[in-house]
Amino acid sequence: MASVVDDQILARAQRGDAFARDQLLEAWLPVVLGWCTRLGGPRVDAEEAAHDVLLVMVRRMEQVYDAERFAAWLFGITRRTIAQHRRRAWFRRWVPGAEADRPDPSGGPARLYEVSELGGQVQEVLEALPEVEREVLVLCLLEEWTDREVAAMLEVPVGTVKSRLHRARDRFIRAARARGLTAETAFPRGLP
Amino acid sequence: MSTHLPRDPEQEARALLGALPRPSPGASVRVRRALDRSLDALPPFEVAPPRRWPWVLGGLGTFAAAAAAVAWFVAQPPPLAPAAPLAVALESPADWHSEALSPDVSLNFQGTGAVAGDTRAPRIQWERGALTVEVTPQRGIDLVVATREAEVRVVGTGFTVSRDALGTHVAVLHGRVEVRCGAGEPRFLGGGETESCLPTSAAGLLGRARALQAAGAGPAAVLAAVEDGLDRTTSEGALRDELRVMRIALLGSLGRHGEALADAQGYLDRPSAPRSIEVFRMAAQLALADGGCAAAAPWLAALRAHPAAEPADAALGAECAGPG
């Protein structure tokens, strides 16, 4: 998984080098798509959100002055984009005649998320958490960014990341168990 | 692989989060394609008249913007024809043959395969030989070439796929393709880049091992394919027997006589093990080379007593027969 940006590749991409830009896209597209899928929730079209994030990335990458800040900068764009898409989805729910902001099922099974029943339930539990706790759970426990990297992405001190993670993890497990979801029920034959 | 269920909260949370939905197959390609379209559709320049002569440059700017818009519309490719279903057999094992699936997709091949899907989303199942594909970029064509080991998805380009016993090999001529080997992560290839997908089944890996041997590859490379194949089959049968016998021979070639003899012993412990005479021969030769007559004696005795023993087997280790 991409976590470090080569400063030479970034510099070349900022100067308009198409190949360098493609290298950045190849490395970060899956990361951004994962963020949008996991943090966007069921009402956000993750592909559409990821497209919007990456479009901003390509058009505004001259704003990144330090390659070490790239992941944090990109995550900031992703957060704002997801928030926009969530607002749009909320709005469409309540406006008569507006299209439901869900992945188009006419695209076929391949266009829908690979959502198992368990996965859908876990997502609902995650969605019920505050946004800041949702983010820290996904980034720290699922994507295994370091505390320092997550602190840079969320623009908070490392200590705050740790305390949020502790709180989020406990709240998540309690909420999951209240719905009968545990590691045993998730993996009755043991961990895959 | 551990199946221990988590006892601490962090492991439990990780286990549950692992069940979260993942991006659907092909999502990366769709996002990239949409992004390329958006970037191509950006206006070529923006007009911002300076303050000193606003009315002159404002007029020029408006004219320039209008001209750019007209040029952009004119430059757009003609609209796509409606998608037509495809069902084409690709059969030309001896000579190169060309086939145009549509104005935007053309094939050049020497081998066998089949085309399904439609002209906007062709699906090519490629069995054997070499296939070159040319796709007009940015026409919304979603073309996939699949072999048993690999799936190659077009992101607007020309590329070659060839499949033989050694695996599937992809070479990009120009543009970009996405290649996925088996169930692995997709990799994007640009012009001039190549990727090889190795067989993933035990039978495929046995074929690869034989092809490597035929091509004169070193025993270490062949052994790697054999051991990969053995890892992918646990049930006893002709395939596993073939791989095990090859492994014994290759270990011997690599000077790993102890392992080869242990493998041979394990193989022959089964009653009626197929190709047992070959394994006895190999073991007897290895034992002679490794430990001399004393170590080879039981193997030589078993070999000579084997119902399928040949006259040459009696001569093996003849120097070990002492006086009297």
Side-chain angles (χ1 to χ4, degrees):
Chain A
M1 181 180 69
S3 62
V4 175
V5 172
D6 185 302
D7 50 8
Q8 291 193 1
I9 292 176
L10 177 61
R12 292 208 314 267
Q14 287 171 328
R15 286 195 296 269
D17 183 330
F19 184 68
R21 184 197 72 184
D22 282 353
Q23 284 181 291
L24 281 179
L25 281 172
E26 186 173 326
W28 289 94
L29 191 155
V31 177
V32 169
L33 191 56
W35 286 339
C36 292
T37 305
R38 293 169 185 132
L39 297 173
R43 272 186 286 279
V44 167
D45 185 328
E47 293 181 24
E48 197 182 314
H51 162 273
D52 292 351
V53 171
L54 294 165
L55 191 60
V56 173
M57 181 191 100
V58 169
R59 298 182 67 188
R60 297 282 181 264
M61 69 170 74
E62 74 278 1
Q63 294 175 357
V64 185
Y65 51 86
D66 179 357
E68 287 188 4
R69 291 263 328 140
F70 189 86
W73 171 78
L74 191 59
F75 186 75
I77 298 172
T78 307
R79 286 172 105 191
R80 288 189 291 277
T81 304
I82 288 175
Q84 284 169 5
H85 280 253
R86 280 176 176 268
R87 279 194 296 273
R88 207 182 299 166
W90 181 90
F91 175 76
R92 286 176 181 167
R93 280 178 74 193
W94 296 107
V95 173
E99 290 175 10
D101 193 16
R102 286 181 179 272
D104 178 9
S106 66
R111 290 302 303 262
L112 300 176
Y113 296 137
E114 286 183 326
V115 179
S116 64
E117 189 181 330
L118 170 68
Q121 291 177 358
V122 172
Q123 187 164 55
E124 285 174 13
V125 172
L126 194 67
E127 279 289 293
L129 296 180
E131 183 184 348
V132 293
E133 293 183 5
R134 205 160 51 226
E135 288 172 344
V136 80
L137 270 183
V138 169
L139 292 174
C140 291
L141 291 191
L142 190 57
E143 298 191 358
E144 297 186 339
W145 296 87
T146 65
D147 291 346
R148 191 167 157 265
E149 286 167 337
V150 175
M153 286 176 181
L154 303 182
E155 297 175 316
V156 297
V158 173
T160 304
V161 169
K162 290 181 179 177
S163 61
R164 267 187 203 170
L165 178 61
H166 186 85
R167 200 169 56 240
R169 183 197 64 206
D170 288 350
R171 201 196 298 241
F172 174 71
I173 291 172
R174 272 201 304 277
R177 285 180 179 169
R179 296 176 62 131
L181 301 174
T182 62
E184 284 85 356
T185 54
F187 303 105
R189 287 195 225 116
L191 290 172
Chain B
M1 188 182 304
S2 169
T3 57
H4 172 68
L5 287 172
R7 293 280 178 254
D8 71 83
E10 181 157 312
Q11 279 193 321
E12 177 145 4
R14 276 184 208 271
L16 287 167
L17 289 168
L20 278 175
R22 295 184 175 84
S24 62
S28 290
V29 175
R30 287 193 294 272
V31 171
R32 182 58 203 257
R33 208 178 293 145
L35 184 65
D36 286 342
R37 283 198 297 270
S38 297
L39 291 171
D40 287 346
L42 288 176
F45 57 87
E46 291 176 2
V47 178
R51 289 176 192 171
R52 266 192 297 166
W53 298 300
W55 59 274
V56 170
L57 291 173
L60 284 175
T62 303
F63 173 78
V70 168
W72 182 78
F73 276 110
V74 167
Q76 292 308 296
L80 288 171
L86 290 171
V88 181
L90 305 174
E91 285 282 343
S92 185
D95 302 309
W96 283 94
H97 181 79
S98 296
E99 184 85 36
L101 299 183
S102 71
D104 295 308
V105 180
S106 61
L107 310 178
N108 201 27
F109 61 93
Q110 182 185 25
T112 54
V115 184
D118 58 51
T119 49
R120 293 244 192 108
R123 294 291 178 267
I124 303 174
Q125 187 68 37
W126 190 243
E127 292 297 327
R128 187 163 300 280
L131 166 71
T132 299
V133 179
E134 288 281 353
V135 177
T136 307
Q138 294 164 20
R139 294 285 286 160
I141 305 293
D142 176 17
L143 182 144
V144 172
V145 177
T147 68
R148 288 197 198 164
E149 298 83 32
E151 184 180 278
V152 186
R153 178 165 245 126
V154 168
V155 192
T157 190
F159 63 95
T160 296
V161 176
S162 61
R163 182 170 188 256
D164 54 29
L166 292 172
T168 293
H169 316 284
V170 180
V172 178
L173 306 171
H174 55 86
R176 292 173 63 79
V177 301
E178 180 198 77
V179 179
R180 185 194 303 264
C181 290
E185 289 298 309
R187 186 185 158 212
F188 283 98
L189 300 182
E193 293 186 300
T194 60
E195 178 74 64
S196 289
C197 299
L198 302 184
T200 53
S201 66
L205 284 158
L206 177 61
R208 175 175 165 81
R210 286 177 174 156
L212 285 170
Q213 266 186 332
V222 182
L223 180 62
V226 166
E227 290 186 328
D228 206 358
L230 281 168
D231 283 345
R232 291 166 200 269
T233 174
T234 52
S235 54
E236 297 297 337
L239 182 56
R240 189 166 175 80
D241 290 338
E242 191 66 30
L243 287 164
R244 289 181 74 181
V245 172
M246 276 189 88
R247 185 167 191 267
I248 295 166
L250 290 162
L251 287 171
S253 301
L254 287 165
R256 291 158 63 177
H257 294 176
E259 289 177 70
L261 284 167
D263 265 19
Q265 184 70 65
Y267 184 81
L268 294 167
D269 277 346
R270 287 182 308 150
S272 315
R275 299 178 65 184
S276 56
I277 184 71
E278 294 174 52
V279 178
F280 273 120
R281 275 191 204 117
M282 284 193 282
Q285 286 163 346
L286 289 170
L288 264 176
D290 217 32
C293 293
W299 293 106
L300 290 168
L303 175 62
R304 287 165 188 153
H306 196 286
E310 294 171 0
D313 295 326
L316 184 62
E319 68 274 20
C320 295

